[in-house]
Amino acid sequence: MNFKYKKMNKTLLVTGATSGFGKAIARRFAANGYNIIITGRRKERLEELETELKSHSGIKVLSLNFDVRNYNEVMSAINNLPDEWKAIDILVNNAGLAVGLNHIDKGVVDDWERMIDTNVKGLIYVTRAVSPLMVERNSGHIINIGSVARDPYENGNVYCASKAAVDTFSKAIRIDLLKNNIKVTHIAPGMADTEFSIVRFKGDAEKAGITYKGIKPLTADDIADAVFYCATLPAHVCINDLEITCTQQANATTNFRKE
Ligand code: NDP
Ligand code: 8X3
């Protein structure tokens, strides 16, 4: 059902909204009448997106500019939300990245720390900050963006471990929050064409392009569709785990590339 332009009186917070999945998710929910909190480190991009989303009539948009790796920044951003923004219905923990692609003996400690601090600790910090607001209202939905990389592939070591942690953390908090009527959904996408590979290869567009050679990957809109579907199911239905790949990808290690 399309609720386009109808005011939903519901609020979504999505981390990492300055690019890729997060931006597409913000757009999808805004187009369907949700109030949106967008977050990310790149302030200018947040400002541009805020202006764009506000063109949907009847919705409110708030930008929060923080680094998910900084616990104090995360807590301060959420604890200082104006009262009208505290009723967060849906949290999408999306901010994340891969940096580098090496065998473990050639790994770079700074790359590992960026991945673990963002994908694991940052996601946990945001969940810690937002979940009490949901518990207080006995209502909410936390959607964590993991990856097919929860199943390991060569050179993926620390990134794969970080996404396995997101998977297990999602299962664990679903148990913790069960009695609080809070849904927890883990979404595990496969290869998708966003800025992800540019970040992984530290700006090397040629290497990033090779990732998708001979493949029609997922798009950010495909993931936004899936998130929207999970978030708009009846109150008694929760998708716990959803793995999505493009048709040319079977799992984390197996693709079929056309010449
Ligand atoms: P993009 O690089 O396009 O977007 C990543 C987003 O994360 C950006 O908005 C970025 O914002 C934000 N982010 C990164 N680090 C931080 C930080 N420290 N603090 C706050 N925000 C941060 O990649 P995708 O959209 O593809 O990635 C989104 C999620 O999906 C990630 O968790 C990724 O691991 C996962 N994923 C991606 C797949 C793919 O193939 N694309 C497949 C499976 C999972 P900013 O830099 O402004 O802070
Ligand atoms: C992103 C997909 O296969 O590059 O998580 O790890 S993959």
Side-chain angles (χ1 to χ4, degrees):
M1 192 184 293
N2 192 342
F3 295 105
K4 209 165 183 205
Y5 302 123
K6 279 200 187 137
K7 184 149 173 49
M8 296 296 297
N9 278 322
K10 285 199 170 193
T11 298
L12 168 105
L13 187 158
V14 55
T15 64
T18 56
S19 172
F21 298 168
K23 192 181 207 176
I25 291 163
R27 285 176 166 156
R28 179 60 44 97
F29 281 80
N32 283 279
Y34 286 71
N35 299 318
I36 313 286
I37 304 174
I38 49 175
T39 85
R41 291 167 301 175
R42 285 170 287 183
K43 199 164 185 280
E44 273 182 23
R45 287 195 184 198
L46 282 179
E47 284 166 1
E48 272 170 35
L49 183 62
E50 179 176 330
T51 305
E52 178 197 315
L53 298 180
K54 279 180 170 164
S55 68
H56 295 290
S57 61
I59 69 159
K60 292 180 294 180
V61 184
L62 179 71
S63 298
L64 296 178
N65 182 211
F66 62 84
D67 186 328
V68 297
R69 293 173 296 180
N70 186 318
Y71 180 74
N72 291 332
E73 277 185 26
V74 171
M75 294 311 281
S76 154
I78 302 302
N79 290 339
N80 290 317
L81 278 172
D83 284 345
E84 57 172 320
W85 283 102
K86 285 192 171 140
I88 296 168
D89 297 285
I90 304 159
L91 163 65
V92 183
N93 274 316
N94 163 75
L97 76 179
V99 200
L101 194 65
N102 311 94
H103 272 192
I104 192 61
D105 52 297
K106 298 197 171 55
V108 178
V109 68
D110 182 56
D111 295 350
W112 302 339
E113 284 177 352
R114 283 177 65 193
M115 290 187 276
I116 292 168
D117 289 351
T118 310
N119 302 354
V120 184
K121 290 165 68 180
L123 183 145
I124 294 171
Y125 296 162
V126 176
T127 305
R128 176 64 184 86
V130 174
S131 57
L133 300 173
M134 293 180 166
V135 167
E136 203 173 292
R137 296 170 58 236
N138 200 43
S139 173
H141 194 167
I142 298 172
I143 301 178
N144 292 333
I145 306 296
S147 169
V148 293
R150 63 183 165 178
D151 293 323
Y153 52 81
E154 188 173 10
N155 293 312
N157 43 66
V158 174
Y159 179 67
C160 295
S162 77
K163 290 302 187 177
V166 173
D167 185 5
T168 301
F169 179 70
S170 304
K171 288 178 181 147
I173 64 169
R174 188 176 307 117
I175 299 167
D176 292 349
L177 299 171
L178 197 60
K179 64 179 181 305
N180 305 110
N181 189 38
I182 296 170
K183 299 184 192 187
V184 178
T185 296
H186 174 255
I187 298 186
M191 283 190 290
D193 191 9
T194 61
E195 293 177 15
F196 176 84
S197 289
I198 295 275
V199 173
R200 166 170 259 175
F201 294 111
K202 303 176 184 177
D204 185 333
E206 201 180 325
K207 275 193 187 161
I210 292 169
T211 310
Y212 309 114
K213 198 159 183 278
I215 289 198
K216 183 172 167 44
L218 296 169
T219 65
D221 284 336
D222 296 329
I223 300 308
D225 282 344
V227 170
F228 190 74
Y229 174 73
C230 292
T232 50
L233 286 166
H236 69 288
V237 182
C238 180
I239 294 193
N240 294 336
D241 189 87
L242 184 62
E243 182 167 306
I244 315 167
T245 62
C246 67
T247 311
Q248 289 174 258
Q249 181 174 25
N251 55 40
T253 51
T254 317
N255 311 310
F256 173 68
R257 291 181 195 268
K258 291 185 182 151
E259 291 304 309

